[in-house]
Amino acid sequence: GDIGPETQQLLRQALVSAESDFNKVAINSNYLALMDWNENESEAEEAIQNILTILKKPSFASLEIIRYAYFNIMKYYEGRSMLHERNRYHEKILSINLEVTPIWKYWLNGHPIPEEDEEYFTASIDRAVSYLTHWNMDYDSNLMHY
């Protein structure tokens, strides 16, 4: 909730300079979350369309970033009580077939995890490491000339 007024402009600049599909999906996902938080539905819907266009034929293999993108879309529709769309993206997340760690159980189903629980920290660390690893793999692959 501590977002400076420059955040939207910085994300827009990042979108303009993003070259890989992975980066575009990651930045659009963050932009969607910000526009959802700001209740700017037209910008949020545009971000969703940008994400879905790329995900029709992504040039990256990271299922983790796809799961995050679908999660942000799911939360957007949930916040607007569009339960059919919310459930559609919930199913898409589950169909990716990645491990549903305790933090994802909480995010998807509302099963709380006490912060002092080791599973909470393990899941949080695994999530961050997985995200950064996939990002780096995509970035490194773009730099390689095969």
Side-chain angles (χ1 to χ4, degrees):
D2 187 19
I3 299 170
E6 72 285 355
T7 305
Q8 183 174 350
Q9 183 60 30
L10 291 171
L11 283 171
R12 284 178 164 275
Q13 289 173 356
L15 281 170
V16 170
S17 63
E19 294 180 5
S20 75
D21 282 351
F22 183 93
N23 291 347
K24 290 175 186 175
V25 168
I27 296 165
N28 269 294
S29 290
N30 283 297
Y31 192 72
L32 166 59
L34 178 62
M35 292 300 98
D36 186 14
W37 189 70
N38 286 338
E39 298 181 0
N40 186 334
E41 289 185 26
S42 63
E43 291 285 326
E45 292 284 344
E46 184 178 330
I48 290 170
Q49 289 312 307
N50 290 339
I51 292 166
L52 296 178
T53 297
I54 293 168
L55 293 185
K56 285 180 185 173
K57 192 175 179 185
S59 63
F60 58 88
S62 172
L63 297 177
E64 189 72 26
I65 192 64
I66 294 171
R67 180 163 67 167
Y68 277 107
Y70 285 157
F71 177 75
N72 284 340
I73 295 170
M74 181 193 85
K75 294 304 284 182
Y76 173 77
Y77 288 126
E78 183 178 285
R80 275 141 195 82
S81 299
M82 299 171 72
L83 297 183
H84 177 73
E85 289 298 310
R86 182 254 181 233
N87 293 339
R88 182 174 164 217
Y89 286 96
H90 186 272
E91 288 302 315
K92 284 181 176 280
I93 291 166
L94 297 178
S95 73
I96 292 173
N97 220 13
L98 289 173
E99 179 184 1
V100 180
T101 60
I103 196 73
W104 274 100
K105 286 178 186 172
Y106 172 68
W107 286 346
L108 294 173
N109 305 316
H111 299 143
I113 310 164
E115 287 191 17
E116 60 274 359
D117 189 325
E118 184 180 329
E119 295 248 341
Y120 180 89
F121 291 105
T122 303
S124 299
I125 292 166
D126 287 348
R127 179 174 44 87
V129 169
S130 175
Y131 182 84
L132 291 172
T133 300
H134 289 302
W135 188 306
N136 288 336
M137 285 173 52
D138 182 72
Y139 181 75
D140 292 343
S141 294
N142 285 332
L143 296 176
M144 297 301 293
H145 299 285
Y146 297 100

